[in-house]
Amino acid sequence: MTALEQITALQDRMGQSIIGQTDVIERLVIGLLANGNLLIEGLPGLAKTRAVKAMATNLEADFSRIQFTPDLLPSDVTGTEVYHQGPEGSQFRFEQGPIFANIVLADEINRAPAKVQAALLEAMEERQVTVSGTTHKMPPLFIVMATQNPIEQEGTYPLPEAQMDRFLMHVQVLYPPVEDEVEVIRLVRGEEQAASSGDATTPPDAIPQQAVFDARAEIGRIHVSDAMDRYMADLVQASRTPAALSEDLARWIEIGASPRGSLALDKCARAHAWLKQRDYVDPADVRAIVHDVFRHRIALSFEAQGEGKTTDDVVDEIVSLVALP
């Protein structure tokens, strides 16, 4: 099987476990292919954790889940030096923490204090952790998928904008339509019946990690024209100088996207084009992922919040005003 066929199979298998969240599944796969970390936000019970687990189950990868709580310590995430006494003498050995896995689910990241968040984000950005002066590298396939609840803010530690910027995309998980809700009920009922009767089917072989690396190599060869480079840069620039486009945008935007936004647009647009079986990027690829890339990088003014505007509304306005290449 080609890399595209294997990644498509991964998407299909995830879709069998997650009903009605096709866009979310696609964003998770794009994050995997673009070698970036994702922030997944949604109300409780919308299968955020299940979606990440479905990816890890169907991919030949080590999976680790960290439940973030206010009493968590940085060493609980990264690992620590442990004193060992043996026949050959005593020594300190590094015991790896749960961050040392291929796919790391950081559940409710905003429940951990700043030091723990910083330890996680250092691993995300640098792909390494330093403990007692020794640097420990992450595995070649390494992605953090962090979840947070948008409504429950008591006892939480919101991520600062500078740390939010380190996430490749901010993915929103919405309620499924009623037809999909019916399918969810039937799916879970079938899983429970199969588990109780012992009739669970044998899962197919996991997709090898090499398929992800091969896909990344192919994505690196996707053609991006000069016009598309300028289009992505124009979108980012529009968020920084909104007054040049409209008075409304000037009132709504407090802070625009950083250069990481440009890089994320490029990576995600190429991954999207590859999934659509094209060897070039067109405006549809950029527009498909621009909301996920900008959602956590644009800070709205109090005036915009007072008018009930969301970041997605502002991004819609930017996309409508920036000329297509």
Side-chain angles (χ1 to χ4, degrees), residues 19-39:
I19 304 297
Q21 301 288 6
T22 307
D23 289 342
V24 173
I25 292 172
E26 184 180 65
R27 297 304 182 272
L28 296 185
V29 172
I30 287 176
L32 179 69
L33 298 177
N35 197 20
N37 305 290
L38 304 183
L39 179 63

Side-chain angles (χ1 to χ4, degrees), residues 10-292:
L10 174 63
Q11 274 187 281
D12 294 340
R13 293 184 195 178
M14 292 174 64
Q16 294 171 7
S17 302
I18 312 298
I19 304 297
Q21 301 288 6
T22 307
D23 289 342
V24 173
I25 292 172
E26 184 180 65
R27 297 304 182 272
L28 296 185
V29 172
I30 287 176
L32 179 69
L33 298 177
N35 197 20
N37 305 290
L38 304 183
L39 179 63
I40 308 169
E41 184 176 85
L43 296 170
L46 293 183
K48 301 184 297 295
T49 300
R50 184 181 174 102
V52 179
K53 285 184 175 180
M55 172 177 283
T57 300
N58 291 289
L59 189 64
E60 194 180 78
D62 293 329
F63 174 71
S64 179
R65 178 180 179 272
I66 308 172
Q67 180 62 56
F68 280 62
T69 56
D71 60 347
L72 206 65
L73 297 175
S75 58
D76 295 330
V77 174
T78 61
T80 187
E81 295 279 348
V82 178
Y83 183 78
H84 284 268
Q85 179 74 45
E88 300 143 359
S90 58
Q91 60 178 331
F92 282 94
R93 296 179 190 167
F94 178 67
E95 297 287 343
Q96 292 185 350
I99 191 67
F100 286 88
N102 300 123
I103 298 177
V104 179
L105 171 60
D107 226 348
E108 295 187 289
I109 187 175
N110 56 338
R111 289 207 172 278
K115 283 187 177 180
V116 179
Q117 293 176 358
L120 175 71
L121 292 165
E122 178 191 5
M124 288 165 41
E125 184 76 8
E126 308 296 334
R127 303 299 171 105
Q128 65 183 30
V129 295
T130 302
V131 178
S132 299
T134 303
T135 299
H136 305 273
K137 296 285 188 182
M138 296 292 118
L141 179 63
F142 174 72
I143 179 172
V144 173
M145 298 187 180
T147 69
Q148 69 175 14
N149 184 335
I151 59 169
E152 196 172 0
Q153 299 303 323
E154 186 175 349
T156 63
Y157 303 81
L159 288 169
E161 283 75 8
Q163 295 183 359
M164 291 272 284
D165 195 34
R166 288 182 168 88
F167 287 98
L168 182 75
M169 289 190 291
H170 179 183
V171 182
Q172 283 190 338
V173 186
L174 305 176
Y175 283 126
V178 65
E179 296 82 4
D180 291 332
E181 194 98 24
V182 172
E183 292 301 319
V184 170
I185 295 172
R186 292 170 178 168
L187 172 66
V188 175
R189 182 193 301 143
E191 290 176 347
E192 292 174 349
Q193 291 173 348
S196 61
S197 62
D199 294 336
T201 58
T202 304
D205 293 338
I207 305 297
Q209 288 188 24
Q210 189 58 44
V212 177
F213 299 133
D214 292 343
R216 289 176 180 176
E218 293 180 12
I219 290 169
R221 296 191 291 270
I222 294 288
H223 175 69
V224 185
S225 67
D226 294 342
M228 287 306 307
D229 283 340
R230 182 56 188 260
Y231 179 57
M232 291 185 284
D234 284 344
L235 288 170
V236 174
Q237 187 64 23
S239 72
R240 300 172 188 165
T241 57
L245 292 180
S246 89
E247 293 181 2
D248 286 338
L249 281 179
R251 289 188 297 108
W252 295 338
I253 297 179
E254 187 73 25
I255 302 172
S258 72
R260 283 197 186 101
S262 305
L263 300 176
L265 274 179
D266 174 55
K267 291 179 180 178
C268 295
R270 283 188 282 121
H272 187 272
W274 183 83
L275 286 173
K276 300 303 179 185
Q277 302 184 40
R278 282 186 277 101
D279 60 357
Y280 63 92
V281 172
D282 70 11
D285 298 311
V286 178
R287 292 188 168 195
I289 49 86
V290 66
H291 291 80
D292 302 278

